[in-house]
Structure formats: structure tokens, C-alpha cells
Amino acid sequence: MDKIIEDFFGGMVKKTLENMTEFGQDTFSYYLNLDKAINSVSPSFSFDTLYQYVAALSLGIAIMLFLKKGFEIYILWNDGDSDLDPLVFLASFIKMTVVIVWFNSAYGYGVEIAAKLFNRLLEAITGNVTGKDFLSGLINLVDLNNGILFVVFIIVLLVNSIRLVIQFFGRGIELFILRIGIPLAALDMLNADSVAWRAYIKKLTQLILTLTLQIFLYFLSLLIPINGLKNFIFAIAIQLTAIKLPGFLSELLVVSAGNGGLISKASTGAHLVSSIKSILGKR
């Protein structure tokens, strides 16, 4: 009876693993540049074109805000930043323009460099083993018929892997949205405190860091049983850590804010809304 159950579930697991080999080939840069995956599905879609439209709109708004804010500060003297050095104000406008125009290109170069470093780190640990090799190794383990408990561990590992891949796509979509909004968020750089801009960049950085660590833990969890250790409990623990990592990092950032975390967070949120209203309301 155990043999029948083992063969039944083992066959299903093997077939699922074979279908998942394409996900095993997805790399760090794939999820950070999910627009390329969208383009492969819909060739008419172009992230660069979309970004150019948003950047052009943002530049128009930026010029109007710069002229209006400069007139109110240094001619009418009715703005709260009247003590701001004109050179500092001009430098803020130049930095904002550079971010709007060059962020997309700089992001692409940054992802390429980060992907190379990430791949070298994986190579140092795995010895040039790819994600496809990881899943192929699991298929070979199923073929060894090591018992029903062994198959159950692989099923748990497989379910967690699917959950992680779904999270990768979700975070990739969130990153896609944040990248589109960068030109509009950069408008806050004209304000002296730039609270909205700093909060936006903090969210973007946190998202990239979370995705990087999750992908690293994902590959590490699959490496363990393939190396012959068969420590599936350890591998499952690593995957569960990867799944819970976003919440852990969020809590860590709140704690690192010091005492009065909730009050500080509420104050920052209120200031963020106020800054966005000041940007849009003064046009």
C-alpha cells in the first residue's frame, strides 16, 4: 500500500517539477525587470515608452513648480522656505531633473551590475549550478524511491517553492509600479525636507532588498537536498524564513526608528500626505 501511495504521489511530484523547470531558470534580474516578461507576452508593450511619457509629464510639471515656487519664495516672500539659499533651490531643481531623465537608464545599469554580483555569489555557493539544475536534481531524488516520507518532504518543498515564485512575481509587479512613479515622486525634491521622496526611495530600496534576499534563500533551500544532505527540514525552514522575510524586514525597520515608532510613523505619514498635496495643490 505504501508503495502504491509513494508511486502515485512521486509521479505527480515529478511531473510538477518538470513543469517548474522554466521557473528555475528565472534569475535575479528577471524579477527586477519584470517589464521584459510583460513585453514577451505583449510585444506592443514598451516600458521605456511608458516611462518617457511619465517623465515628459513630470518635467513639464517640474518646470512650472520651479517657476511658481521660486516666484513665491523670492519675489512674494509668502512661502515657508523663504530662508532657502537660491543656489540650493536651483541645485534641487537640477537634481530632480537628472533623476527624472536618467533614473530608468541608471536603474538598468544598476540591475546588470547587481545581477552579476548576485550570480557570482550563487556560483561561489553552488558551483555553477543553475535553477534548472536544482529542480532536475529534485526529480532525480524522486526517481530513487526513498520512501513515502521522502516524497512528503519534497511536496512541502515544492509547495513552498511555488509560494515563493508567486511572491517574486508580486514583488516584481510592485517594483514595476514604483519605477513608473519615480518621475512624479521626484517632484518632491523641490521641497526643503523632501519627505515624500525619501519615503518613496526607502520603499523602493526595501523592496529590492527583500526580493534579493528571498531569491537567495530560495536557491539556498533547493541546494541543501541536492548536495546529498537530505536535510529537508532545514531546507523547509529556510523557505519558510524566505516567505516571512518581508514582514520581518518591515518590523526591523520600525524598531530601528527608535522610541515612539508608531507615533513617528503616523507623523511621517501625515507629513507625506501634506507634501504630496503641496506639490499637486500649488500647480
Side-chain angles (χ1 to χ4, degrees), residues 117-264:
L117 295 175
F118 185 85
N119 291 334
R120 287 187 178 181
L121 178 61
L122 278 180
E123 289 175 3
I125 297 175
T126 64
N128 296 321
V129 178
T130 65
K132 184 177 181 180
D133 294 330
F134 286 151
L135 295 175
S136 298
L138 287 179
I139 294 174
N140 293 332
L141 289 176
V142 174
D143 289 334
L144 293 178
N145 296 324
N146 290 310
I148 185 63
L149 184 60
F150 192 84
V151 174
V152 170
F153 279 141
I154 293 183
I155 291 175
V156 175
L157 201 67
L158 178 60
V159 171
N160 287 335
S161 297
I162 295 174
R163 292 176 62 188
L164 281 171
V165 169
I166 293 174
Q167 283 196 13
F168 296 161
F169 276 104
R171 306 212 177 283
I173 294 172
E174 291 175 2
L175 191 57
F176 172 83
I177 296 173
L178 288 178
R179 288 170 59 196
I180 294 177
I182 279 287
L184 293 173
L187 296 175
D188 185 58
M189 296 178 70
L190 277 180
N191 293 326
D193 49 13
S194 301
V195 173
W197 169 249
R198 291 203 303 267
Y200 201 93
I201 290 299
K202 179 181 178 181
K203 179 62 178 177
L204 184 69
T205 305
Q206 180 182 349
L207 193 59
I208 294 175
L209 176 62
T210 301
L211 187 56
T212 302
L213 292 177
Q214 280 190 306
I215 295 175
F216 176 77
L217 291 175
Y218 168 67
F219 279 110
L220 182 61
S221 68
L222 295 179
L223 171 67
I224 291 173
I226 293 175
N227 274 348
L229 301 178
K230 297 183 180 179
N231 194 346
F232 283 95
I233 295 178
F234 188 32
I236 293 171
I238 293 177
Q239 288 191 337
L240 291 176
T241 301
I243 292 172
K244 297 179 180 179
L245 187 64
F248 171 75
L249 289 180
S250 298
E251 293 175 0
L252 185 64
L253 290 175
V254 171
V255 172
S256 64
N259 294 330
L262 290 176
I263 297 177
S264 177

Side-chain angles (χ1 to χ4, degrees), residues 83-136:
D83 295 332
L84 184 66
D85 190 325
L87 292 179
V88 175
F89 182 63
L90 178 61
S92 298
F93 174 75
I94 294 174
K95 288 190 293 184
M96 176 185 62
T97 304
V98 171
V99 169
I100 292 174
V101 174
W102 293 106
F103 173 81
N104 193 38
S105 299
Y107 179 85
Y109 290 127
V111 169
E112 289 181 6
I113 296 174
K116 290 180 180 179
L117 295 175
F118 185 85
N119 291 334
R120 287 187 178 181
L121 178 61
L122 278 180
E123 289 175 3
I125 297 175
T126 64
N128 296 321
V129 178
T130 65
K132 184 177 181 180
D133 294 330
F134 286 151
L135 295 175
S136 298

